[in-house]
Amino acid sequence: MLSRDIWAAGSEILIGAGSILVLLFEVLARRARPVWAYRTALVSVAVTVFLLAAGSLGRSGVFWHGGLVNDPLSRLLDIAAGVATFLVLVYSRPQLVRHGLERAEHYFLVLTTLLGVLVVDSGGSLLTLYLGLELLALSLYALIAIDRRRPLGAEAAMKYFVLGAMASALLLYAFTFLYGLAGSFRLSVVARALAAHPGSPLTLAAVAFVVVALAFKFGAVPLHFWVPDVYEGAPTAVTLLVGTVPEIASIALFMRLLGLGLGAASGDWGVLLMVASLLSLLVGNLLAVVQLNVRRLLGYSAVGHVGFILLAFQLGGRGGETAAVYYTIVYVFMSAAAFGGLTLLEARGEKSTTLEDLSGLARRDPWMAFFLLCALFSLAGVPPFLGFWAKLIVLRRVIMAHETGLAIFAVVMAVVAAYYYLRVVKSMYFDPPPAPGGDGAAAAAPVPVFSRVWLGINALGLLVLGILPEGLWSACRMAMSHLLR
Amino acid sequence: MPLFDDLAVSAVVFAIALAGMFVNRKNLVVLLMCIELMLLAVNTSFVAWSAWWGGLSGQVAVFFVLTVAAAEAAIGLALLVVVFRNKRSVDVDTIDTLKG
Amino acid sequence: MLHDYFGVLVFLIVGAVVGAALLVLGFILAPRHADPVKGAAYECGFEAFEDARIPFDVRYYLVAILFIIFDLEIAFFFPWAVALRELGPAAYAAMAVFFAVLVVGFAYEWRRGGLEWE
C-alpha cells in the first residue's frame, strides 16, 4: 500500500528533497556557495511545476487514510504556488547578492515555505492542514528575521510570531472540538458529523475559532495588524515571498476547511466572513491612501484585496468559492510583479521604500517603470488587465446573489484603491527624479537580464491574460467542479 | 463525567494562557510561555476526546502537536535572542518601532 | 479502586525513606573539611550559593533551542520501536527517511558552529 501511495505526494517529496539537498550542500561544501543552493531550489521548483502541469505528479484520489487529497484544485493551487515561488526566487537573488544577504538558508526556507503550501493545498485531514500551515508559518518567521542587522525585521518577526502562534493555537483548539464531534481528523468525516449535529455549541465554538484563525492567516481586518508591519519590516526579498506564495495556502485552507469540512455550517461562518470582508475593504483601502511608504501601502492594499476575496467566499456555494480562488491566483501574480519590480529596483542599487524614491523612475529605467505600471494597473483593476476580470467576476457573483449593496460598497472601495495605485504611477511617470548627487543614481548597476525577462513575462502576462481571460477562468472552474475530500 | 472534567481543565488552562497573552504587557518570554501553555491545553483536549472515542488518533495528534510546539518554541526563542541583541531588552514595549 | 494506587503509595514511602536515609547517613558518616574550592563555581559557571533569580547568559537559550527540537523528535522513536514488528519494512524505511532528515539538520547545526560554546 505504501509504495503505491507514496508517489501521490510526489510534488511534496520533490520539494522536500530539494530543500534537504540545499542543506546538504551547505554541510558538505568546503566554502559557502549559495549560488548552488539557488540553482538547486530553482531546478526543483521548475521540475515540480513541469511534472505537475504535465500530469505525471499528483495522481488524483484520496490517499493515506484521507490525509492527502489530490484533486484538480490541489493541482491548480500547487502549480500556482510553484510558479510564484519560481518568480520569487528569480526576482530575489540579484537583490540578495547586492546586499550581501545571499545565504543557502534563505533558499532552504523558501523551499520549506513552498512545501508547507503544497501540503496545505492537498490537506485532506485536520492534522495535515495543521502541519502544512505550521511548516509554512515557521519558515516565514525565520525568513522575516533572517537579516540580523535589520532591527525592524526582528521586531516584525516577533510580532508576527506571537500573533501567528496564538492564531495557530486557536485553530488547533477548534480542531479538538471538530475531532470531538467526528471522532476522526478526516475532513469528509468531520463534514458528515457536522451535518448530523447542526448548530451544536461545539460546532459554533469551532466555527468562531476557525474563522478568527483563518482571518489572521489571510490578514483580514480586524486581525490585519501584522500585514503592514511585516511588509515593511521584512527584508525586501522576503516581503516579496510573504506577499505572494502564502496567499495560495490561505485560500486552500479556506476551501478545504470551511468549504469542504465545515460546509454544513456555512450559515454561521458566512456572516462572520462578511463582516471581516467589509471591514477589510474599508480599513485596508482607506489606510492605504495615507501611506507614504510603498511597502506599507501595498501591505494595506493587500488587506483590501483580501476583503474582495472574502466577499466572494462568504457567499457560500461553489460559484462564490470559484471566484475567490480565481481572485487569489490573479492577486498572487499581480503582487509578484509589483514586489518583484521593487526588489529588482533595490538590486539596481536604488531605494524603493517611499513614494519619493520611485519618482521619475520612468526616465531612469523606462522598462522597469512600465512593468511596475502593468502590475499597479492590474492591482487597481484597470480594464484590459487581468485584475479587472478578477474584480468583475467577484462583483458579478455578489450581484447574482442579490447583494447589490455589498457590490456597490466594493466598487466604491475599488475606486479608492485605484486612486492610491495611480498615485504611485504618477510618481513614477510625472514627478521629477530626486535631486541628483543622491546615493541612488551613482550606484546604479545593471540588473541581470534573466530576472528582468521573467519580470517582463510576469507583467506582460497580466496584460495578455487580461486580453484573453478565458483560459485561467475555465481552469479554475474545472478545478472547482471535481473536488475530492 | 470524566470527559467533561477533562475538557473543563483544558478550557480553563487555555483561557488562562489566552488571558496571559493579553494581560501580560511586560515580558516577551512570558508570551512564549503562554503560547506553550495554549498548546498543552489543546493536547489535554485531544487526549480527553481520544479516550472518549476509544481511538488512538487523538493521541497520535498530540505527538505531532508536541513536535510542532518544540519547533515553535525554538523559533520563538531564536527571535527573542535576535530582538534582545538589537534592543538589549525583552520588554514587550520595546517592539513598537513599526507603526502606522 | 483506591487499592489500585496502593503500589504508588508504597513506592512514595520507600522512596522518601531511602532518600532521607541516604542524606542522614552522609551527614553522619562523611568526613568534612572546609575548603574554598568547594564553594567555587563549577559546571555551568554559576556561583554555588546565591540568588537563583539571575539573568541567564543568552548562550543557554541557544543551547536550549538546539536541544529542544532533537529532544522531541526522539519521541517519535518510541512508538515506532514498540510497533516495528507489526509494521514491517515500510515503517523501517519511513523512519530511515525521518532519521536521515534529522541527521542532515544535526550536521548543519554542527557545521554552522551551533554546538560551539564560544
Side-chain angles (χ1 to χ4, degrees), chain A residues 6-93:
Chain A
I6 194 94
W7 291 112
S11 50
E12 286 86 353
I13 290 172
L14 268 178
I15 295 296
S19 65
I20 293 298
L21 213 57
V22 166
L23 216 51
L24 209 57
F25 278 158
E26 188 65 9
V27 172
L28 297 180
R30 200 156 295 153
R31 264 178 327 117
R33 293 281 298 278
V35 66
W36 282 103
Y38 169 71
R39 286 177 188 152
T40 314
L42 214 54
V43 167
S44 56
V45 172
V47 167
T48 308
V49 169
F50 178 78
L51 291 179
L52 273 171
S56 342
L57 271 188
R59 189 160 43 94
S60 272
V62 179
F63 306 94
W64 300 0
H65 308 288
L68 184 89
V69 174
N70 281 335
D71 55 12
L73 176 68
S74 77
R75 172 176 307 191
L76 177 73
L77 294 178
D78 281 358
I79 291 175
V83 174
T85 310
F86 183 87
L87 293 174
V88 165
L89 285 169
V90 170
Y91 298 155
S92 51
R93 175 147 194 270

Side-chain angles (χ1 to χ4, degrees), chain B residues 55-78:
Chain B
L56 275 178
S57 51
Q59 295 170 40
V60 174
V62 169
F63 263 89
F64 285 99
V65 174
L66 274 178
T67 317
V68 170
E72 215 164 54
I75 296 225
L77 284 173

Side-chain angles (χ1 to χ4, degrees), chain A residues 2 24 26-27 29-30 105, chain C residues 90 101 104 107-108 111-112:
Chain A
L2 193 81
L24 209 57
E26 188 65 9
V27 172
R30 200 156 295 153
E105 289 87 346
Chain C
V101 173
V104 171
Y108 170 76
R111 178 80 205 226
R112 277 272 138 174

Side-chain angles (χ1 to χ4, degrees), chain A residues 360-382:
Chain A
L361 179 68
R363 253 168 284 171
R364 292 200 300 279
D365 191 340
W367 279 109
M368 201 68 95
F370 178 67
F371 295 154
L372 269 176
L373 172 105
C374 286
L376 291 168
F377 271 13
S378 189
L379 281 165
V382 176

